[in-house]
Amino acid sequence: MLGNGSLLATLSERGRVEGLFWPHLDRGPHLGELRFGLEVDGDHKWLDEGADGSEQSYLHDANVLLTRIGELELVDLVHELEPVFLRRVTSPREGRFVVHCRPELDGTDRSLAANVDGNRVVFYRRHVALAIGARDAQGFATGLGNTEGGIACPFRGEAVVACAFGASSREAVARLDAALQQDFASLLSSRRRHDSGRIGSAAQPSVETSGLAPLYRRSLLVLDLLSDRRTGAVIAAPELDPDFERSGGYGFVWGRDLAFIVLAFLAAGRDDLAERALRWFPNAQEPEGLWLQRHWTDGSLAPSWCKHQLDETGAILFAYEAAWRQLGDRALDAALWPSARRAAEFLLGTIEDDGIPCATADL
């Protein structure tokens, strides 16, 4: 996954873009399909298909993804501030480069429209617009109804494609054009500097645990990506399986998970992220004082399935106390105290005559 706290991109092991979530990490994924292909001597091939082996890794200590498929190389990143996904494709072959998109803005392919303007195509529905473009490209689209489209351009060893979001077509196009006017190498360097700065500002591992340092640094970057920039909430994982065929339903904020993430933020010296997450909790709390299973990043209740899971509320109180002890922030403590009291009173009310809390759903 790649992102910046507003735009979250998920990709397969062969570099297929599976989801683009925006403007919140649980909003989208906005894609039915987004494919990249090459036409060489009349033979068309999608880059994420074929029998060739693939290799994939993050660039060292950066939220930049490198995928090699045979002789192809893909370098993917999300701008550190803007909702723009960029991909550079390199190959020794020459021909025609094609990007095809079948959007599902806000999870639907209905009531969509597309607009082609020179080197770009823009899909839009209500307050979500997605613009796709490249230098020297030509856009194409089917128009209303089953809206699909994309871009095509000559390929001479390298191509850079940008996908930009906005609340309007004008805003998405402005972001797209701004990204395409910059050299990809400078965008790559800027992203690496940003990620290096984030890592450098965190607490550093002790000598005894230095062997875990690469895992620790990558964990810092991952938690940055899962932290919603506007709300402070942290989703448990990107939603990769919304149909629950394997193990879906984690593209939400789970109070229990967020409590432990707050402990991680505190341990890593990520006090800014810890405070924003802590201040989110009261927005999601039920009037009775408990927290239910899942929430959207804006604090509203997401699909939940039982009366309560008491450990969820208990875990959040544990995180409140950890922050009280470590941060010593009187203003934060004062803001959280009404929430803490309601939660404690609720938990006390669950204790039955035998001194044991009442039965709760699941272990």
Side-chain angles (χ1 to χ4, degrees), residues 21 52-53 72 83 97-98 108 130 148 150 155-156 183 186 198 205 208 210 215 247 257 270 335 349:
F21 300 83
D52 295 333
L72 286 165
F97 183 67
V98 179
T108 182
L130 169 61
E148 301 181 27
F155 185 83
R156 300 180 182 87
D183 181 67
S186 65
R198 289 295 293 164
E208 292 78 10
S210 59
L215 177 60
S247 180
D257 296 59
R270 283 274 185 262

Side-chain angles (χ1 to χ4, degrees), residues 311-326:
D311 69 299
E312 194 138 27
T313 299
I316 293 168
L317 283 181
F318 190 89
Y320 280 0
E321 183 185 29
W324 170 70
R325 291 183 181 279
Q326 182 164 329

Side-chain angles (χ1 to χ4, degrees), residues 25-270:
L25 309 183
D26 55 6
R27 176 95 177 266
H30 300 313
L31 292 181
E33 183 177 84
L34 180 61
R35 308 290 296 277
F36 298 76
L38 272 179
E39 293 180 4
V40 179
D41 298 328
D43 180 31
H44 179 276
K45 181 180 179 181
W46 295 116
L47 304 187
D48 54 45
E49 290 182 342
D52 295 333
S54 62
E55 299 177 357
Q56 190 177 68
S57 63
Y58 286 110
L59 212 59
H60 177 66
D61 288 350
N63 282 317
V64 178
L65 190 64
L66 175 64
T67 307
R68 290 191 175 94
I69 309 170
E71 59 187 7
L72 286 165
E73 181 181 87
L74 313 177
V75 179
D76 296 324
L77 62 90
V78 168
H79 191 282
E80 63 270 20
L81 298 177
E82 299 293 338
V84 182
F85 169 83
L86 295 120
R87 164 168 286 182
R88 183 181 67 191
V89 180
T90 56
S91 169
R93 298 194 175 192
E94 295 187 358
R96 185 168 176 261
F97 183 67
V98 179
V99 181
H100 176 265
C101 182
R102 179 172 54 82
E104 292 183 1
L105 302 183
D106 274 337
T108 182
D109 59 2
R110 298 186 176 186
S111 301
L112 300 183
N115 178 44
V116 175
D117 184 10
N119 67 332
R120 55 190 177 242
V121 60
V122 188
F123 306 99
Y124 55 96
R125 181 181 186 274
R126 293 191 178 180
H127 301 301
V128 178
L130 169 61
I132 301 173
R135 293 180 183 176
D136 303 321
Q138 288 293 320
F140 59 89
T142 59
L144 298 173
N146 295 322
T147 304
E148 301 181 27
I151 58 171
C153 62
F155 185 83
R156 300 180 182 87
E158 180 178 300
V160 176
V161 179
C163 304
F165 282 95
S168 65
S169 296
R170 187 184 301 273
E171 187 174 73
V173 167
R175 287 169 171 159
L176 179 81
D177 290 347
L180 292 177
Q181 288 170 8
Q182 300 181 65
D183 181 67
F184 185 83
S186 65
L187 292 167
L188 176 61
S189 296
S190 180
R191 179 75 225 204
R192 295 185 71 177
R193 285 195 302 271
H194 172 82
D195 293 334
S196 177
R198 289 295 293 164
I199 292 173
S201 66
Q204 299 305 306
S206 64
V207 175
E208 292 78 10
T209 59
S210 59
L212 295 175
L215 177 60
Y216 173 67
R217 294 194 299 269
R218 178 54 56 185
S219 298
L220 293 173
L221 294 176
V222 166
L223 290 175
D224 268 2
L225 297 186
L226 297 179
S227 302
D228 191 89
R229 183 192 298 173
R230 297 189 189 180
T231 68
V234 187
I235 60 174
E239 187 53 76
L240 301 176
D241 185 22
D243 296 324
F244 294 87
E245 294 177 358
R246 298 178 301 278
S247 180
Y250 290 97
F252 299 91
V253 186
W254 299 63
R256 177 191 303 106
D257 296 59
L258 185 52
F260 281 94
I261 290 170
V262 165
L263 299 181
F265 286 155
L266 293 173
R270 283 274 185 262

Side-chain angles (χ1 to χ4, degrees), residues 243-322:
D243 296 324
F244 294 87
E245 294 177 358
R246 298 178 301 278
S247 180
Y250 290 97
F252 299 91
V253 186
W254 299 63
R256 177 191 303 106
D257 296 59
L258 185 52
F260 281 94
I261 290 170
V262 165
L263 299 181
F265 286 155
L266 293 173
R270 283 274 185 262
D271 296 350
D272 57 333
L273 295 179
E275 180 178 348
R276 294 177 66 235
L278 287 160
R279 289 183 181 276
W280 177 89
F281 277 123
N283 297 326
Q285 191 174 20
E286 295 295 302
E288 299 85 351
L290 80 160
W291 283 268
L292 295 176
Q293 287 75 49
R294 302 189 302 189
H295 295 82
W296 301 106
T297 54
D298 65 1
S300 60
L301 184 63
S304 298
W305 54 90
C306 64
K307 187 175 181 180
H308 51 60
Q309 292 178 324
L310 295 182
D311 69 299
E312 194 138 27
T313 299
I316 293 168
L317 283 181
F318 190 89
Y320 280 0
E321 183 185 29

